[in-house]
Amino acid sequence: MNIETERLELVALTPTQLEWWLNDCHRLECELNCLYRAEPMEGLFRQIVAGQLAAAERDPGHYVWHSFWFLIRKSDRTVVGSADFKDLPDSGGLVEIGYGLGREYEGRGYMTEAVRAMCRWAISQDNVRHVTAETGLDGLASQKLLQRCGFTEWKRGETLWWIL
């Protein structure tokens, strides 16, 4: 599954490609004809990707809702970041989005472009009514990104929840 934007190609990784990302990134780069320069595959991020891989393997028919999507810059095939839907839409039609960029690509509008495109795609699916996102209370850059994409604050507690 791919989504095209002005500057990016968004590619939903298959379960096999997720496994390569975790364990053989060079093989994935060759498969997708890209160069990975986004978040380092380590620590908590590695654990999250491994969890999404397990979910995608359990439910391969709906892998796009469990997988990560690479944000591949069209001009040079560099992976600048990734984004994911954290699970299938729930019974109320809500699905959560998450995202991250390589540090050197922040502030260039790539994530705004990607989140807008992924949300448009998600909302066009029959079982999705809203896209949600969670940010830290001090995550001002992420909060501004969500606001640019049309999200509004939905709930406030130890974190902020946003809804589109």
Side-chain angles (χ1 to χ4, degrees):
M1 171 76 208
N2 291 12
I3 300 172
E4 297 278 332
T5 70
E6 181 181 344
R7 299 179 296 163
L8 302 170
E9 178 184 357
L10 311 178
V11 178
L13 301 180
T14 65
T16 299
Q17 291 169 332
L18 272 176
E19 194 277 325
W20 290 342
W21 187 24
L22 278 167
N23 299 309
D24 190 354
C25 192
H26 178 70
R27 184 173 184 181
L28 181 56
E29 289 174 323
C30 291
E31 169 86 5
L32 297 177
N33 185 31
C34 66
L35 184 61
Y36 186 81
R37 292 290 180 256
E39 311 109 305
M41 183 58 71
E42 58 192 27
L44 178 59
F45 184 58
R46 183 175 188 78
Q47 292 173 14
I48 291 168
V49 174
Q52 293 296 88
L53 170 58
E57 288 176 332
R58 282 192 306 272
D59 188 15
H62 297 106
Y63 77 92
V64 296
W65 298 109
H66 305 294
S67 187
F68 276 80
W69 299 56
F70 270 7
L71 284 56
I72 303 174
R73 187 169 52 191
K74 290 178 180 179
S75 64
D76 62 3
R77 303 291 298 163
T78 297
V79 179
V80 298
S82 63
D84 71 322
F85 296 107
K86 297 189 177 184
D87 202 352
L88 293 169
D90 69 14
S91 60
L94 299 178
V95 68
E96 183 181 354
I97 194 169
Y99 46 83
L101 279 174
R103 282 209 186 283
E104 68 185 277
Y105 305 106
E106 293 175 354
R108 299 182 188 182
Y110 292 125
M111 193 54 72
T112 300
E113 190 173 322
V115 167
R116 281 181 179 150
M118 288 181 69
C119 288
R120 274 194 308 272
W121 176 83
I123 296 286
S124 75
Q125 306 307 301
D126 290 339
N127 55 342
V128 177
R129 292 182 53 228
H130 297 283
V131 179
T132 65
E134 181 183 24
T135 66
L137 296 173
D138 60 350
L140 296 178
S142 190
Q143 293 168 23
K144 288 179 181 180
L145 179 150
L146 292 170
Q147 290 170 336
R148 282 192 302 273
C149 292
F151 283 76
T152 56
E153 188 178 322
W154 181 36
K155 298 183 210 174
R156 183 179 285 259
E158 292 183 21
T159 61
L160 290 176
W161 282 91
W162 302 82
I163 192 163
L164 175 68

